[in-house]
Amino acid sequence: MKRSLGISLYPDHSDPQKDREYLQLAHKYGFNRIFMSMLEVTEEPTIVKQKFQELIHFAKSLGFETILDVAPNIFEQLNISYDDLSFFHDTEADGIRLDLGFDGRKEALLTYNPYQLAIELNMSNDVAYLENILSHQANEPFLYGCHNFYPQEGTGLPYAFFESCSVRFKKHGIRTAAFVSSQVGTMGPWDINDGLPTLEMHRHLPVDVAAKHLFATNLIDDVIIGNAYASEEELRMLGELDRYQTVFTIEFTSAVNEIERQITLNEQHVRRGDITEQVIRSTEVRKKYNEDKNESHDNEIEFQVGDVVIGNDTFGKYKNELQVVLEPHRDARKNKVGAIVPEEHLLLSFIHPWSKFKFIEK
């Protein structure tokens, strides 16, 4: 399944012109999905419909898919029946997210709505909710999953729970989404906003590192910035990242030579299938560079987790093999050429046998 990037909008708290400018900026950097909150409406149904329709219509002209976040009280407030989703169709939305669920039968029936609106489920519950819906023969192409975000510091999901919840959806081939938090955005649905991530461990991470992590799990298809408005730099970083393989950010040592830079930055790295616990080995590169000399430097130190090392001229057939250190050790036959930035060390555990990976320079 192809992977997407998304932003969040809060029309009941924001200025429509600023929303349009944000949409244009996000479009520039390859975003194509919107989480749009409809949890805080206070106006008459006709006014609400017009406000959302105008913004969604503009977004659609830029190629965005829009999912409206709704709750039971909104249906009551706007006098909408779950048996008639025409209100949402009239806004030009592509789907609705059900923050609270029903009995499984109702959700399955909703996926057959005549407007072919996607029905997005809350993924942040580790119960057999999805299986119940699927047992009622849901229309699966119109069934999505999306995690919650958590505005309060300390309340985001722990990773193990997130993984368990996500596996339930992914094993059925359901499209999945989760949130990362802009480090500058201040707008969300509520008056508390300590960031809007799904995972607590992401709350204070750079937005691109958090997104790399979600994609690296192979459990999330769409990464959405939970708070508004992200900076242009954050949008750019997300727009430029590789959504399909991990790209580590490396800081080179001062002594790194040109051959080592080429090996690190210009090659497709593949972790050897018969893995070791001490290092991640990229062995194919040594064949391409077996004739290139590589004198010793930065080789008399203890290598630390996240260091990137390359075999020097004393390493025989292993000369110019690239390795990423997983356990501290010493080996004078290897040169330290740089180190993966500390905040990306959490990505190391997702480099499995035969995983592909690359590097970019900080």
Side-chain angles (χ1 to χ4, degrees), residues 48 58 60 116 122 149 162 173 183 191 226 246 304 323 339:
V48 172
F58 180 79
K60 196 174 288 289
Q116 296 190 324
N122 179 358
F149 51 51
F162 159 86
Q183 296 304 304
D191 55 355
T246 297
Q304 301 300 316
Q323 301 177 356

Side-chain angles (χ1 to χ4, degrees), residues 128-309:
Y129 175 50
L130 173 64
E131 288 84 352
N132 184 27
I133 294 169
L134 293 176
S135 73
H136 285 91
Q137 300 300 308
N139 193 7
E140 292 188 32
F142 297 93
L143 197 62
Y144 294 2
C146 180
H147 276 283
N148 281 343
F149 51 51
Y150 297 91
Q152 182 189 156
E153 180 94 31
T155 64
L157 299 184
Y159 181 78
F161 184 79
F162 159 86
E163 183 179 50
S164 184
C165 296
S166 302
V167 166
R168 286 184 178 274
F169 281 74
K170 202 60 184 168
K171 71 181 180 182
H172 290 290
I174 303 297
R175 181 177 172 187
T176 60
F179 294 93
V180 295
S181 187
S182 162
Q183 296 304 304
V184 299
T186 59
M187 188 184 304
W190 315 122
D191 55 355
I192 296 297
N193 188 347
D194 300 331
L196 292 178
T198 291
L199 280 162
E200 186 60 35
M201 64 190 295
H202 288 168
R203 191 172 300 276
H204 301 295
L205 281 181
V207 69
D208 60 321
V209 177
K212 285 183 182 183
H213 185 219
L214 289 178
F215 284 139
T217 67
N218 282 322
L219 296 171
I220 299 300
D221 301 307
D222 299 342
V223 171
I224 305 169
I225 303 174
N227 44 359
Y229 301 105
S231 68
E232 180 169 3
E233 176 64 11
E234 288 178 319
L235 296 175
R236 182 193 63 78
M237 289 191 298
L238 283 180
E240 291 179 354
L241 68 78
D242 191 321
R243 305 173 196 178
Y244 301 97
Q245 68 174 312
T246 297
V247 180
F248 292 106
T249 304
I250 184 173
E251 292 184 283
F252 284 113
T253 65
S254 59
V256 65
N257 61 52
E258 189 55 36
I259 290 299
E260 291 169 332
R261 289 180 63 89
Q262 288 182 31
I263 292 171
T264 305
L265 298 176
N266 298 346
E267 302 299 328
Q268 173 66 70
H269 297 287
V270 182
R271 185 175 189 180
R272 189 178 171 103
D274 48 344
I275 63 171
T276 172
E277 292 183 336
Q278 187 180 76
V279 293
I280 295 169
R281 299 178 65 193
S282 173
T283 58
E284 290 299 309
V285 291
R286 77 184 190 219
K287 300 174 183 177
K288 179 176 178 179
Y289 293 89
N290 67 326
E291 298 297 327
D292 293 284
K293 292 190 177 299
N294 191 1
E295 295 182 1
S296 299
H297 68 85
D298 295 295
N299 63 325
E300 300 291 344
I301 58 175
E302 182 178 61
F303 305 127
Q304 301 300 316
V305 175
D307 285 351
V308 180
V309 299

